[in-house]
Amino acid sequence: MTSRNDPVHGGMMTKAELIEKVAEHYTVLTKRQTEILVNTFFDSIKEALAKGDKIEIRGFGSFRLRHRRMREGRNPKTGALVSVPEKKVPFFKAGKELKELVDRG
């Protein structure tokens, strides 16, 4: 299975395509079982981040939260100043092996 090609950003893989790819490699599992496996993996990452935990997958990368302070912004329509509240945002940092693989192309 190949991902859709985007001339600007390269290929893109959807979650459905990822499930299909995993199902091709692990024929012992049904497609439904593979979907449950992939969804459980993503749900586990989301739940850990929601609790404030850091997730590290050696050779791939790590997920953690970054805190953004409150700041002043502008309404793009009116130009009026607005207060943007502080928030937590998920952040992914690629691991060394992933960076090297991507760099080799």
Side-chain angles (χ1 to χ4, degrees):
M1 162 153 290
T2 58
S3 303
R4 291 184 296 268
N5 287 325
D6 177 344
V8 176
H9 300 102
M12 180 182 85
M13 181 181 281
T14 65
K15 186 163 82 167
E17 291 170 332
L18 175 63
I19 291 167
E20 185 71 34
K21 186 92 168 165
V22 173
E24 286 175 11
H25 285 285
Y26 296 98
T27 55
V28 178
L29 299 174
T30 66
K31 195 168 180 182
R32 178 69 182 135
Q33 290 171 323
T34 304
E35 181 180 2
I36 291 168
L37 177 78
V38 169
N39 286 333
T40 301
F41 176 78
F42 288 129
D43 289 344
S44 298
I45 290 173
K46 290 189 282 189
E47 289 170 14
L49 286 173
K51 291 190 303 186
D53 294 342
K54 179 179 175 182
I55 301 97
E56 184 176 321
I57 304 169
R58 299 212 186 260
F60 183 71
S62 62
F63 297 88
R64 66 183 177 93
L65 292 178
R66 281 202 169 163
H67 298 276
R68 294 215 177 137
R69 293 180 296 185
M70 187 198 76
R71 64 183 178 85
E72 292 296 318
R74 292 204 178 266
N75 179 326
K77 279 188 176 182
T78 65
L81 281 176
V82 293
S83 179
V84 179
E86 70 175 37
K87 60 184 169 181
K88 298 175 192 171
V89 293
F91 176 74
F92 174 75
K93 181 177 179 184
K96 180 181 175 185
E97 291 176 34
L98 179 59
K99 286 179 187 177
E100 290 172 355
L101 178 68
V102 170
D103 189 41
R104 285 195 304 254

XYZ file of all heavy atoms in Angstrom:
840
model
N 0.843 -1.177 0.000
C 0.000 0.000 0.000
C 0.886 1.237 0.000
O 1.806 1.346 0.780
C -0.892 -0.041 1.235
C -1.479 1.301 1.569
S -3.026 1.200 2.431
C -4.097 0.598 1.175
N 0.614 2.145 -0.850
C 1.371 3.395 -0.897
C 0.494 4.526 -0.401
O -0.717 4.490 -0.515
C 1.840 3.705 -2.334
O 0.703 3.765 -3.179
C 2.806 2.654 -2.833
N 1.144 5.525 0.132
C 0.428 6.690 0.624
C 0.135 7.627 -0.528
O 0.779 7.581 -1.567
C 1.277 7.418 1.667
O 1.614 6.552 2.702
N -0.843 8.501 -0.310
C -1.142 9.500 -1.324
C 0.058 10.418 -1.474
O 0.730 10.748 -0.511
C -2.359 10.306 -0.912
C -3.629 9.504 -0.950
C -4.800 10.394 -0.619
N -4.716 10.901 0.736
C -5.260 10.304 1.782
N -5.904 9.184 1.626
N -5.156 10.815 2.976
N 0.305 10.843 -2.676
C 1.415 11.756 -2.921
C 0.939 13.184 -2.919
O -0.093 13.515 -3.476
C 2.098 11.445 -4.257
C 2.917 10.187 -4.185
O 3.513 9.895 -3.163
N 2.933 9.431 -5.257
N 1.712 14.029 -2.302
C 1.446 15.453 -2.239
C 2.713 16.119 -2.748
O 3.769 15.985 -2.140
C 1.158 15.852 -0.786
C 0.935 17.334 -0.597
O 1.278 18.120 -1.497
O 0.433 17.712 0.467
N 2.670 16.830 -3.879
C 3.885 17.386 -4.461
C 4.627 18.346 -3.533
O 5.830 18.501 -3.645
C 3.399 18.107 -5.715
C 1.922 18.194 -5.614
C 1.481 17.157 -4.633
N 3.919 18.953 -2.593
C 4.574 19.907 -1.702
C 5.126 19.227 -0.462
O 6.252 19.456 -0.056
C 3.582 21.033 -1.293
C 4.207 21.979 -0.293
C 3.113 21.793 -2.520
N 4.333 18.350 0.148
C 4.705 17.769 1.428
C 5.125 16.306 1.344
O 5.377 15.686 2.360
C 3.536 17.892 2.413
C 3.128 19.301 2.654
N 2.022 19.848 2.057
C 3.687 20.281 3.380
C 1.916 21.109 2.433
N 2.901 21.396 3.229
N 5.185 15.712 0.178
C 5.512 14.301 0.067
C 4.274 13.463 0.322
O 3.158 13.945 0.244
N 4.478 12.182 0.638
C 3.357 11.281 0.867
C 2.690 11.534 2.203
O 3.227 12.198 3.074
N 1.488 10.995 2.333
C 0.747 11.105 3.574
C 0.080 9.768 3.827
O -0.408 9.133 2.900
C -0.324 12.193 3.463
C -1.126 12.355 4.727
S -2.412 13.602 4.569
C -3.720 12.647 3.841
N 0.085 9.322 5.081
C -0.566 8.067 5.424
C -1.665 8.350 6.448
O -1.408 8.981 7.465
C 0.446 7.073 6.001
C -0.167 5.740 6.364
S 1.002 4.564 7.057
C 1.807 4.005 5.574
N -2.862 7.878 6.174
C -3.966 8.027 7.113
C -3.932 6.877 8.121
O -3.209 5.888 7.931
C -5.319 8.005 6.385
O -5.488 6.707 5.795
C -5.411 9.098 5.321
N -4.746 6.998 9.165
C -4.802 5.922 10.153
C -5.325 4.640 9.504
O -4.828 3.549 9.791
C -5.672 6.324 11.341
C -5.634 5.292 12.459
C -6.145 5.831 13.775
C -7.632 5.796 13.842
N -8.148 6.033 15.204
N -6.292 4.757 8.608
C -6.825 3.582 7.913
C -5.739 2.892 7.087
O -5.658 1.661 7.043
C -7.998 3.980 7.027
N -4.884 3.684 6.443
C -3.780 3.113 5.664
C -2.746 2.463 6.577
O -2.172 1.427 6.236
C -3.134 4.192 4.801
C -4.029 4.664 3.668
C -3.509 5.902 2.962
O -2.796 6.725 3.582
O -3.829 6.051 1.764
N -2.517 3.054 7.743
C -1.593 2.458 8.712
C -2.123 1.108 9.185
O -1.377 0.127 9.246
C -1.392 3.399 9.905
C -0.551 2.862 11.053
C 0.879 2.581 10.595
C -0.555 3.845 12.215
N -3.406 1.041 9.475
C -4.029 -0.225 9.894
C -3.873 -1.269 8.798
O -3.515 -2.419 9.063
C -5.517 0.003 10.261
C -5.605 0.818 11.551
C -6.265 -1.321 10.380
C -6.985 1.374 11.843
N -4.110 -0.864 7.563
C -3.953 -1.776 6.416
C -2.519 -2.291 6.314
O -2.277 -3.470 6.099
C -4.363 -1.049 5.136
C -4.354 -1.907 3.900
C -5.477 -2.937 3.879
O -6.565 -2.642 4.390
O -5.242 -4.030 3.340
N -1.549 -1.396 6.484
C -0.124 -1.752 6.386
C 0.252 -2.750 7.484
O 0.937 -3.743 7.222
C 0.712 -0.477 6.500
C 2.169 -0.667 6.279
C 2.473 -0.442 4.834
C 3.967 -0.338 4.637
N 4.322 -0.464 3.253
N -0.194 -2.491 8.707
C 0.097 -3.399 9.821
C -0.573 -4.749 9.575
O 0.042 -5.799 9.784
C -0.356 -2.789 11.173
C -0.223 -3.805 12.305
C 0.450 -1.535 11.494
N -1.815 -4.738 9.087
C -2.538 -5.979 8.808
C -1.831 -6.810 7.739
O -1.838 -8.046 7.799
C -3.971 -5.670 8.382
N -1.196 -6.157 6.763
C -0.448 -6.872 5.714
C 0.754 -7.613 6.306
O 1.088 -8.698 5.870
C 0.048 -5.888 4.655
C -1.007 -5.360 3.734
C -0.474 -4.283 2.785
O 0.756 -4.092 2.702
O -1.308 -3.626 2.138
N 1.402 -6.997 7.297
C 2.602 -7.593 7.898
C 2.277 -8.656 8.937
O 3.077 -9.563 9.156
C 3.471 -6.507 8.535
C 4.219 -5.688 7.538
N 5.327 -6.154 6.862
C 3.999 -4.434 7.077
C 5.767 -5.220 6.041
N 4.973 -4.167 6.149
N 1.143 -8.544 9.597
C 0.761 -9.483 10.648
C -0.531 -10.178 10.260
O -1.607 -9.862 10.754
C 0.627 -8.751 11.991
C 1.948 -8.183 12.426
C 2.263 -6.851 12.190
C 2.905 -8.995 13.021
C 3.503 -6.334 12.553
C 4.151 -8.488 13.392
C 4.432 -7.151 13.144
O 5.658 -6.644 13.495
N -0.406 -11.160 9.374
C -1.574 -11.848 8.821
C -2.259 -12.735 9.857
O -3.354 -13.230 9.600
C -1.171 -12.680 7.593
O -0.109 -13.569 7.966
C -0.698 -11.781 6.459
N -1.623 -12.948 11.015
C -2.233 -13.734 12.088
C -3.438 -12.986 12.659
O -4.406 -13.593 13.103
C -1.197 -14.005 13.211
C -1.817 -14.767 14.362
C 0.002 -14.741 12.654
N -3.375 -11.653 12.606
C -4.456 -10.827 13.131
C -5.452 -10.494 12.024
O -5.071 -10.305 10.875
C -3.899 -9.507 13.678
C -2.895 -9.588 14.823
C -2.340 -8.202 15.127
C -3.537 -10.189 16.060
N -6.720 -10.410 12.411
C -7.717 -9.940 11.457
C -7.550 -8.420 11.318
O -6.903 -7.770 12.142
C -9.153 -10.237 11.942
O -9.404 -9.468 13.119
C -9.349 -11.716 12.211
N -8.186 -7.865 10.306
C -8.115 -6.417 10.117
C -8.755 -5.698 11.306
O -8.267 -4.666 11.759
C -8.803 -6.021 8.808
C -8.470 -4.637 8.362
C -8.929 -4.419 6.936
C -8.596 -3.018 6.500
N -9.063 -2.746 5.158
N -9.829 -6.250 11.832
C -10.503 -5.659 13.002
C -9.579 -5.693 14.229
O -9.507 -4.719 14.977
C -11.808 -6.413 13.278
C -12.552 -5.918 14.497
C -13.114 -4.524 14.284
N -13.765 -4.087 15.501
C -13.631 -2.887 16.042
N -12.909 -1.973 15.453
N -14.236 -2.582 17.160
N -8.880 -6.806 14.442
C -7.941 -6.907 15.561
C -6.800 -5.906 15.401
O -6.365 -5.283 16.370
C -7.383 -8.326 15.671
C -8.387 -9.346 16.140
C -7.863 -10.768 16.018
O -7.162 -11.103 15.064
N -8.228 -11.611 16.973
N -6.352 -5.738 14.172
C -5.295 -4.770 13.895
C -5.781 -3.361 14.188
O -5.052 -2.552 14.777
C -4.838 -4.876 12.426
O -4.435 -6.224 12.160
C -3.685 -3.948 12.138
N -7.019 -3.064 13.819
C -7.588 -1.746 14.094
C -7.657 -1.493 15.599
O -7.319 -0.405 16.072
C -8.982 -1.642 13.481
C -9.648 -0.306 13.695
C -11.035 -0.226 13.075
O -11.507 -1.222 12.494
O -11.639 0.852 13.184
N -8.068 -2.500 16.367
C -8.127 -2.377 17.826
C -6.728 -2.133 18.385
O -6.538 -1.287 19.263
C -8.777 -3.632 18.451
C -10.263 -3.678 18.092
C -8.570 -3.655 19.966
C -10.934 -4.999 18.405
N -5.742 -2.843 17.869
C -4.355 -2.690 18.314
C -3.843 -1.267 18.064
O -3.302 -0.623 18.977
C -3.455 -3.700 17.587
C -1.978 -3.619 17.887
C -1.675 -4.262 19.217
C -1.195 -4.293 16.785
N -4.045 -0.764 16.859
C -3.577 0.580 16.512
C -4.316 1.630 17.339
O -3.698 2.553 17.882
C -3.737 0.844 14.990
C -3.502 2.312 14.650
C -2.790 -0.051 14.199
N -5.629 1.491 17.482
C -6.405 2.440 18.288
C -5.975 2.416 19.750
O -5.890 3.463 20.389
C -7.907 2.168 18.169
C -8.472 2.614 16.846
O -7.954 3.534 16.214
N -9.527 1.957 16.389
N -5.691 1.231 20.285
C -5.234 1.113 21.675
C -3.893 1.805 21.854
O -3.665 2.488 22.859
C -5.131 -0.375 22.079
O -6.417 -0.981 21.928
C -4.660 -0.523 23.518
N -3.009 1.661 20.880
C -1.701 2.320 20.929
C -1.875 3.837 21.004
O -1.319 4.498 21.884
C -0.881 1.919 19.691
C 0.440 2.607 19.592
C 1.513 2.204 20.366
C 0.624 3.662 18.709
C 2.740 2.847 20.275
C 1.840 4.307 18.611
C 2.901 3.894 19.398
N -2.668 4.398 20.096
C -2.886 5.848 20.082
C -3.630 6.321 21.329
O -3.301 7.361 21.899
C -3.629 6.288 18.822
C -2.782 6.229 17.573
C -3.240 5.584 16.445
C -1.528 6.813 17.533
C -2.467 5.532 15.290
C -0.750 6.771 16.389
C -1.217 6.126 15.270
N -4.629 5.560 21.766
C -5.377 5.926 22.971
C -4.466 5.941 24.197
O -4.609 6.808 25.068
C -6.557 4.976 23.205
C -7.678 5.160 22.193
O -7.699 6.205 21.499
O -8.533 4.250 22.076
N -3.541 5.000 24.274
C -2.603 4.951 25.398
C -1.722 6.193 25.436
O -1.469 6.751 26.508
C -1.726 3.701 25.313
O -2.513 2.541 25.393
N -1.275 6.635 24.274
C -0.465 7.859 24.204
C -1.299 9.058 24.636
O -0.851 9.883 25.443
C 0.109 8.054 22.780
C 1.173 6.998 22.497
C 0.702 9.463 22.623
C 1.689 6.984 21.085
N -2.531 9.157 24.138
C -3.396 10.285 24.495
C -3.693 10.304 25.990
O -3.642 11.367 26.623
C -4.710 10.227 23.700
C -4.527 10.536 22.218
C -5.853 10.691 21.511
C -6.491 9.362 21.225
N -7.684 9.467 20.352
N -3.986 9.147 26.568
C -4.291 9.073 28.003
C -3.084 9.467 28.848
O -3.225 10.177 29.841
C -4.762 7.667 28.372
C -6.147 7.335 27.847
C -6.506 5.860 28.003
O -5.811 5.127 28.749
O -7.492 5.433 27.374
N -1.904 9.007 28.463
C -0.689 9.346 29.212
C -0.429 10.849 29.158
O -0.102 11.466 30.180
C 0.502 8.564 28.662
N -0.581 11.441 27.984
C -0.381 12.884 27.859
C -1.420 13.654 28.669
O -1.102 14.663 29.298
C -0.425 13.316 26.392
C 0.799 12.949 25.560
C 0.544 13.273 24.090
C 2.041 13.662 26.057
N -2.658 13.188 28.666
C -3.712 13.854 29.424
C -3.397 13.857 30.922
O -3.760 14.787 31.640
C -5.064 13.179 29.170
N -2.677 12.817 31.398
C -2.273 12.751 32.804
C -0.991 13.540 33.068
O -0.556 13.650 34.196
C -2.052 11.303 33.231
C -3.314 10.484 33.312
C -3.095 9.127 33.968
C -2.035 8.325 33.268
N -1.889 6.960 33.772
N -0.360 14.037 31.997
C 0.880 14.793 32.162
C 2.127 13.942 32.081
O 3.231 14.419 32.349
N 1.974 12.665 31.711
C 3.125 11.761 31.595
C 3.878 11.988 30.292
O 3.326 12.497 29.319
C 2.675 10.293 31.643
C 2.084 9.893 32.978
O 2.315 10.614 33.968
O 1.388 8.868 33.029
N 5.137 11.582 30.280
C 5.962 11.612 29.075
C 6.014 10.189 28.515
O 6.082 9.231 29.273
C 7.374 12.091 29.427
C 8.310 12.128 28.248
C 9.692 12.624 28.659
C 10.646 12.548 27.480
N 11.990 12.969 27.831
N 5.972 10.052 27.213
C 6.037 8.750 26.560
C 7.314 8.713 25.744
O 7.557 9.603 24.928
C 4.830 8.507 25.615
C 3.520 8.581 26.381
C 4.943 7.177 24.918
C 2.865 9.896 26.290
N 8.119 7.684 25.956
C 9.358 7.541 25.187
C 9.348 6.198 24.481
O 9.192 5.157 25.118
C 10.571 7.628 26.102
C 11.873 7.581 25.327
C 13.086 7.769 26.223
O 13.024 8.595 27.143
O 14.094 7.075 25.982
N 9.498 6.238 23.161
C 9.576 5.019 22.350
C 10.964 5.007 21.743
O 11.242 5.747 20.789
C 8.470 5.001 21.261
C 7.096 5.160 21.923
C 8.553 3.719 20.444
C 5.977 5.429 20.960
N 11.841 4.216 22.323
C 13.246 4.201 21.907
C 13.374 3.902 20.419
O 12.698 3.042 19.877
C 14.028 3.174 22.710
C 14.005 3.502 24.187
C 15.264 3.065 24.877
N 15.109 3.284 26.309
C 15.620 4.321 26.945
N 16.302 5.216 26.289
N 15.460 4.451 28.240
N 14.214 4.666 19.754
C 14.427 4.515 18.328
C 13.413 5.278 17.487
O 13.569 5.393 16.285
N 12.359 5.764 18.118
C 11.322 6.505 17.391
C 11.269 7.944 17.860
O 11.488 8.868 17.076
C 9.960 5.819 17.563
C 8.861 6.472 16.791
C 8.810 6.373 15.406
C 7.871 7.192 17.438
C 7.786 6.985 14.685
C 6.847 7.802 16.732
C 6.809 7.701 15.351
N 10.948 8.159 19.138
C 10.885 9.512 19.664
C 10.120 9.567 20.964
O 9.781 8.540 21.550
N 9.849 10.775 21.411
C 9.131 10.939 22.675
C 8.031 11.987 22.523
O 8.127 12.913 21.719
C 10.099 11.344 23.788
O 10.700 12.578 23.495
N 6.989 11.786 23.311
C 5.857 12.702 23.369
C 5.825 13.294 24.767
O 6.007 12.573 25.746
C 4.532 11.963 23.139
C 4.402 11.318 21.799
C 4.864 10.023 21.581
C 3.794 11.988 20.750
C 4.725 9.415 20.347
C 3.655 11.385 19.514
C 4.125 10.099 19.310
N 5.588 14.587 24.851
C 5.436 15.231 26.152
C 4.590 16.478 25.972
O 4.245 16.846 24.852
C 6.786 15.561 26.779
C 7.589 16.592 26.034
C 8.952 16.789 26.717
N 9.760 17.728 25.988
C 9.806 19.039 26.236
N 9.074 19.548 27.198
N 10.572 19.829 25.533
N 4.264 17.100 27.094
C 3.488 18.329 27.055
C 4.415 19.525 27.165
O 5.411 19.481 27.889
C 2.488 18.378 28.208
C 1.357 17.371 28.157
C 0.481 17.516 29.393
C 0.526 17.528 26.899
N 4.072 20.566 26.469
C 4.752 21.856 26.619
C 3.711 22.836 27.130
O 2.552 22.793 26.725
C 5.310 22.349 25.291
C 6.596 21.683 24.912
C 7.344 22.540 23.929
N 8.687 22.019 23.772
C 9.467 22.328 22.777
N 9.049 23.145 21.832
N 10.680 21.827 22.703
N 4.160 23.705 28.006
C 3.256 24.714 28.564
C 3.473 26.026 27.828
O 4.603 26.487 27.691
C 3.522 24.899 30.058
C 3.276 23.644 30.826
N 2.023 23.283 31.267
C 4.104 22.644 31.212
C 2.105 22.125 31.891
N 3.362 21.720 31.863
N 2.387 26.591 27.353
C 2.450 27.906 26.710
C 1.875 28.929 27.680
O 0.769 28.741 28.205
C 1.650 27.909 25.412
C 2.268 27.000 24.379
C 2.102 27.567 23.000
N 2.778 26.707 22.051
C 2.275 26.356 20.895
N 1.088 26.799 20.530
N 2.958 25.594 20.075
N 2.613 29.973 27.906
C 2.166 31.024 28.819
C 1.042 31.845 28.196
O 0.889 31.869 26.977
C 3.330 31.961 29.161
C 4.413 31.286 29.980
C 5.499 32.251 30.275
N 6.105 32.642 28.984
C 7.161 33.409 28.861
N 7.734 33.913 29.919
N 7.648 33.702 27.673
N 0.316 32.541 29.061
C -0.700 33.461 28.582
C 0.003 34.559 27.777
O 1.130 34.937 28.096
C -1.439 34.100 29.757
C -2.609 34.927 29.308
S -3.192 36.072 30.549
C -1.939 37.317 30.437
N -0.656 35.018 26.730
C -0.056 36.078 25.919
C -1.157 36.944 25.329
O -2.321 36.577 25.338
C 0.816 35.497 24.819
C 0.058 34.666 23.804
C 0.985 34.043 22.758
N 0.234 33.220 21.849
C -0.391 33.658 20.762
N -0.355 34.931 20.445
N -1.051 32.836 19.979
N -0.734 38.069 24.815
C -1.657 38.958 24.124
C -1.570 38.657 22.623
O -0.488 38.520 22.073
C -1.292 40.422 24.372
C -1.501 40.869 25.803
C -2.953 40.831 26.233
O -3.835 41.243 25.443
O -3.221 40.369 27.361
N -2.710 38.533 21.990
C -2.763 38.312 20.552
C -3.681 39.340 19.922
O -4.177 40.245 20.586
N -3.887 39.198 18.638
C -4.774 40.126 17.925
C -5.851 39.340 17.197
O -5.597 38.288 16.629
C -3.994 40.955 16.923
C -3.043 41.917 17.564
C -2.763 43.071 16.608
N -1.877 44.020 17.232
C -2.285 45.092 17.899
N -3.562 45.343 18.015
N -1.416 45.913 18.437
N -7.052 39.898 17.190
C -8.140 39.348 16.406
C -7.817 39.671 14.950
O -7.671 40.835 14.587
C -9.470 40.002 16.826
C -10.636 39.484 16.033
O -10.519 39.167 14.855
N -11.784 39.421 16.684
N -7.690 38.642 14.089
C -7.296 38.912 12.696
C -8.306 39.758 11.917
O -7.923 40.470 10.996
C -7.150 37.526 12.072
C -7.723 36.566 13.028
C -7.849 37.231 14.358
N -9.578 39.708 12.287
C -10.592 40.498 11.580
C -10.567 41.967 11.985
O -10.613 42.843 11.142
C -11.993 39.941 11.855
C -12.350 38.750 11.013
C -13.813 38.394 11.218
C -14.207 37.254 10.308
N -15.626 36.915 10.460
N -10.506 42.191 13.303
C -10.628 43.572 13.788
C -9.303 44.208 14.183
O -9.209 45.425 14.283
C -11.553 43.616 15.017
O -10.931 42.889 16.090
C -12.918 43.028 14.709
N -8.296 43.376 14.438
C -7.021 43.906 14.896
C -7.008 44.222 16.381
O -6.009 44.679 16.921
N -8.123 43.970 17.063
C -8.223 44.253 18.496
C -7.367 43.284 19.296
O -7.225 42.110 18.938
C -9.677 44.148 18.942
N -6.792 43.777 20.392
C -6.009 42.921 21.280
C -6.928 41.949 22.006
O -8.005 42.323 22.460
C -5.260 43.757 22.315
C -3.992 44.450 21.848
C -3.421 45.307 22.971
C -2.956 43.448 21.396
N -6.491 40.705 22.090
C -7.229 39.693 22.843
C -6.244 38.949 23.728
O -5.062 38.819 23.396
C -7.972 38.688 21.928
C -9.081 39.359 21.163
C -7.030 37.996 20.991
N -6.726 38.454 24.836
C -5.902 37.680 25.752
C -6.000 36.215 25.361
O -7.093 35.651 25.304
C -6.390 37.889 27.181
O -5.614 37.136 28.064
N -4.848 35.588 25.085
C -4.810 34.167 24.754
C -4.412 33.440 26.036
O -3.313 33.662 26.561
C -3.796 33.871 23.623
C -3.761 32.391 23.302
C -4.123 34.689 22.385
N -5.288 32.584 26.572
C -4.991 31.938 27.857
C -3.827 30.950 27.752
O -3.493 30.467 26.665
C -6.289 31.211 28.203
C -7.015 31.053 26.926
C -6.569 32.163 26.022
N -3.219 30.654 28.910
C -2.151 29.654 28.916
C -2.762 28.303 28.604
O -3.951 28.069 28.816
C -1.429 29.634 30.258
C -2.204 29.096 31.412
C -1.353 29.015 32.670
O -0.530 29.899 32.902
O -1.528 28.042 33.412
N -1.942 27.424 28.048
C -2.436 26.092 27.710
C -1.286 25.110 27.618
O -0.111 25.505 27.533
C -3.223 26.123 26.407
C -2.441 26.598 25.193
C -3.344 26.680 23.987
C -2.669 27.401 22.844
N -3.549 27.507 21.696
N -1.646 23.846 27.611
C -0.685 22.762 27.422
C -0.879 22.240 26.006
O -2.010 22.062 25.555
C -0.934 21.635 28.413
C -0.785 22.043 29.852
C -1.183 20.889 30.748
C -1.323 21.353 32.169
N -1.897 20.330 33.033
N 0.223 21.989 25.309
C 0.132 21.455 23.950
C 1.029 20.225 23.836
O 2.110 20.179 24.415
C 0.534 22.505 22.881
C -0.464 23.630 22.832
C 1.915 23.030 23.115
N 0.584 19.191 23.118
C 1.429 18.010 22.929
C 2.614 18.346 22.031
O 2.501 19.153 21.105
C 0.502 16.986 22.271
C -0.671 17.736 21.789
C -0.715 19.053 22.497
N 3.752 17.732 22.322
C 4.981 17.984 21.574
C 5.655 16.645 21.305
O 5.755 15.802 22.191
C 5.902 18.897 22.389
C 7.234 19.144 21.747
C 7.360 19.987 20.662
C 8.371 18.515 22.220
C 8.583 20.211 20.065
C 9.606 18.727 21.630
C 9.709 19.582 20.550
N 6.104 16.450 20.062
C 6.823 15.228 19.686
C 8.252 15.583 19.350
O 8.500 16.529 18.597
C 6.169 14.554 18.471
C 6.948 13.380 17.956
C 6.943 12.172 18.636
C 7.704 13.479 16.802
C 7.673 11.086 18.180
C 8.436 12.409 16.328
C 8.423 11.199 17.021
N 9.193 14.835 19.905
C 10.599 15.016 19.576
C 11.091 13.705 18.973
O 11.042 12.655 19.623
C 11.406 15.358 20.821
C 12.880 15.572 20.516
C 13.648 15.971 21.755
C 15.115 16.135 21.400
N 15.919 16.419 22.589
N 11.541 13.766 17.737
C 12.022 12.571 17.045
C 13.297 12.058 17.702
O 14.154 12.836 18.120
C 12.282 12.883 15.574
N 13.429 10.735 17.775
C 14.618 10.103 18.316
C 15.749 10.103 17.291
O 15.545 10.353 16.098
N 16.934 9.786 17.767
C 18.135 9.811 16.925
C 17.980 8.901 15.691
O 18.276 9.311 14.569
C 19.339 9.389 17.752
C 20.639 9.388 16.987
C 21.796 8.942 17.861
C 23.065 8.822 17.043
N 24.172 8.278 17.826
N 17.518 7.675 15.909
C 17.383 6.733 14.783
C 16.379 7.227 13.748
O 16.620 7.097 12.542
C 16.969 5.357 15.290
C 18.055 4.652 16.090
C 17.576 3.330 16.663
O 16.757 2.652 16.001
O 18.023 2.969 17.763
N 15.277 7.788 14.182
C 14.272 8.307 13.253
C 14.826 9.488 12.474
O 14.645 9.585 11.258
C 12.992 8.704 14.000
C 11.868 9.283 13.147
C 11.428 8.303 12.063
C 10.689 9.663 14.027
N 15.539 10.383 13.166
C 16.147 11.546 12.495
C 17.122 11.079 11.409
O 17.113 11.604 10.302
C 16.888 12.419 13.496
C 15.996 13.231 14.390
C 16.845 14.037 15.345
C 16.020 14.751 16.387
N 16.850 15.477 17.348
N 17.947 10.094 11.740
C 18.931 9.588 10.762
C 18.233 8.925 9.576
O 18.642 9.116 8.424
C 19.880 8.611 11.448
C 20.832 9.284 12.424
C 21.649 8.294 13.245
O 21.425 7.065 13.143
O 22.527 8.769 14.002
N 17.188 8.164 9.840
C 16.437 7.490 8.762
C 15.808 8.507 7.824
O 15.892 8.382 6.591
C 15.358 6.579 9.364
C 14.472 5.849 8.376
C 15.279 4.809 7.615
C 13.315 5.191 9.092
N 15.204 9.535 8.382
C 14.557 10.581 7.574
C 15.600 11.360 6.784
O 15.395 11.692 5.612
C 13.718 11.518 8.470
C 13.242 12.726 7.708
C 12.546 10.750 9.068
N 16.739 11.628 7.409
C 17.784 12.390 6.760
C 18.363 11.645 5.558
O 18.689 12.249 4.543
C 18.897 12.730 7.757
C 19.904 13.707 7.197
O 19.477 14.665 6.525
O 21.109 13.516 7.431
N 18.454 10.317 5.660
C 18.961 9.501 4.547
C 17.991 9.475 3.385
O 18.364 9.245 2.246
C 19.236 8.074 5.008
C 20.474 7.918 5.831
C 20.861 6.452 5.934
N 19.807 5.630 6.470
C 19.778 5.115 7.701
N 20.753 5.369 8.539
N 18.785 4.364 8.090
N 16.697 9.689 3.719
C 15.668 9.730 2.670
C 15.427 8.368 2.143
O 14.885 7.999 1.220
